[in-house]
């Protein structure tokens, strides 16, 4: 079964850091681009970051550029999002999504930034 | 950044009726447009990619059309499970923006 499972969310104070992980199974992870997408409470979707299958091409939304770092470990079938200097507006459910079409999504992990 | 505007914001229809959802881009996105369905507490689900291609397992009652700046998602005959929020998304260029969503509710 094709599956993506996010982890690493939680409550963090403003200015703090978190590292999200996305564990992939049921497909050849190294063949797919991957994405992080977030959704603030009661709001729409925001594409946060993209990484190519090899990791050689990376994009970030302006709202997170310089604070977030996307990476992947194809040997471990895992995707990561290192989030530093967190702000209240980063509070959201963070999803990882597979491929150009984002045809497979995880269930998400919740990040809450609050003092 | 390309802005996607979805209309209407809310659509109230009954099961069996036809639903037409619109997505307009602030500049051409060619055919690089997708549609997603999201139900409360769930992750989005890909319905349509590249404007008109149904994703795997998506029923034939869902169809997408359009190119350039104007796109439409049509649900030919609504089933009870179709009532949800629908988002369009472009990836013509980075950042790949989403529309604000259309809520399809039961009348």
């Amino acid at each position: 079964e094709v599956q993506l499972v996010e982890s690493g969310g939680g409550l963090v104070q403003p200015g703090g850091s978190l590292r999200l992980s996305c564990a992939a199974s049921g497909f050849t992870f190294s063949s797919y681009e991957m994405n992080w997408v977030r959704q603030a409470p009661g709001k729409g979707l925001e594409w946060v970051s993209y990484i190519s299958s090899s990791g050689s091409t990376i994009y970030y939304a302006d709202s997170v550029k310089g604070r977030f770092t996307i990476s992947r470990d194809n040997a471990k079938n895992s995707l990561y999002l290192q989030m530093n200097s967190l702000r209240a507006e980063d509070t959201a459910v963070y999803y990882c999504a597979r491929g150009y079409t984002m045809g497979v999504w995880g269930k998400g992990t919740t990040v809450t930034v609050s003092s | 950044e390309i802005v996607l505007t979805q209309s209407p914001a809310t659509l109230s229809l009954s099961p069996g009726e036809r639903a037409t959802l619109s997505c307009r881009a602030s500049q051409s996105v060619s055919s690089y447009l997708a549609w997603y369905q999201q139900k409360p507490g769930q992750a989005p689900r890909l319905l349509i990619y590249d404007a008109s291609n149904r994703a795997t397992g998506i029923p034939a009652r869902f169809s997408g059309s359009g190119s350039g700046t104007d796109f439409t998602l049509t649900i030919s005959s609504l089933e009870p499970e179709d009532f949800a929020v629908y988002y369009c998304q472009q990836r013509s260029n980075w950042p790949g923006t989403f529309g604000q969503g259309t809520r399809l509710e039961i009348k």
Side-chain angles (χ1 to χ4, degrees):
Chain A
E1 180 192 3
V2 173
Q3 197 171 11
L4 296 171
V5 179
E6 302 93 338
S7 61
L11 174 63
V12 61
Q13 291 189 338
S17 298
L18 277 177
R19 189 194 196 206
L20 305 185
S21 298
C22 170
S25 59
F27 64 98
T28 304
F29 179 72
S30 59
S31 296
Y32 287 88
E33 307 158 285
M34 294 295 295
N35 308 271
W36 287 101
V37 177
R38 69 183 180 184
Q39 186 169 36
K43 302 297 184 182
L45 300 167
E46 180 186 15
W47 199 354
V48 172
S49 188
Y50 159 94
I51 187 167
S52 62
S53 57
S54 66
S56 60
T57 301
I58 286 173
Y59 299 120
Y60 299 100
D62 286 346
S63 57
V64 307
K65 198 175 296 182
R67 300 187 299 122
F68 290 11
T69 302
I70 191 172
S71 63
R72 64 190 297 158
D73 186 335
N74 287 340
K76 294 184 177 180
N77 294 331
S78 293
L79 174 73
Y80 306 102
L81 187 68
Q82 177 67 43
M83 305 187 298
N84 298 332
S85 303
L86 283 162
R87 306 166 180 168
E89 54 265 35
D90 296 318
T91 294
V93 176
Y94 285 74
Y95 298 100
C96 59
R98 187 188 80 170
Y100 164 80
T101 58
M102 292 203 281
V104 178
W105 294 63
K107 296 186 186 302
T109 187
T110 300
V111 172
T112 303
V113 184
S114 175
S115 55
Chain B
E1 177 176 304
I2 296 175
V3 176
L4 298 180
T5 303
Q6 293 186 240
S7 62
T10 303
L11 185 57
S12 299
L13 293 169
S14 300
E17 289 193 291
R18 181 184 187 91
T20 302
L21 287 66
S22 175
C23 178
R24 176 164 288 179
S26 59
Q27 64 188 75
S28 176
V29 299
S30 185
S31 294
Y32 299 117
L33 190 106
W35 290 93
Y36 298 88
Q37 177 194 67
Q38 188 178 33
K39 297 179 181 178
Q42 296 185 16
R45 173 194 183 197
L46 175 68
L47 300 174
I48 301 288
Y49 65 94
D50 291 347
S52 60
N53 296 291
R54 262 193 310 276
T56 303
I58 300 304
R61 64 181 182 273
F62 291 91
S63 63
S65 63
S67 65
T69 60
D70 289 299
F71 299 86
T72 300
L73 174 70
T74 301
I75 310 172
S76 60
S77 179
L78 286 165
E79 297 287 342
E81 61 267 28
D82 298 337
F83 293 91
V85 178
Y86 291 82
Y87 294 95
C88 59
Q89 178 237 344
Q90 68 81 20
R91 57 184 306 163
S92 171
N93 58 18
W94 184 262
T97 44
F98 289 89
Q100 82 281 13
T102 289
R103 181 178 304 278
L104 179 55
E105 63 178 28
I106 299 176
K107 187 174 182 179

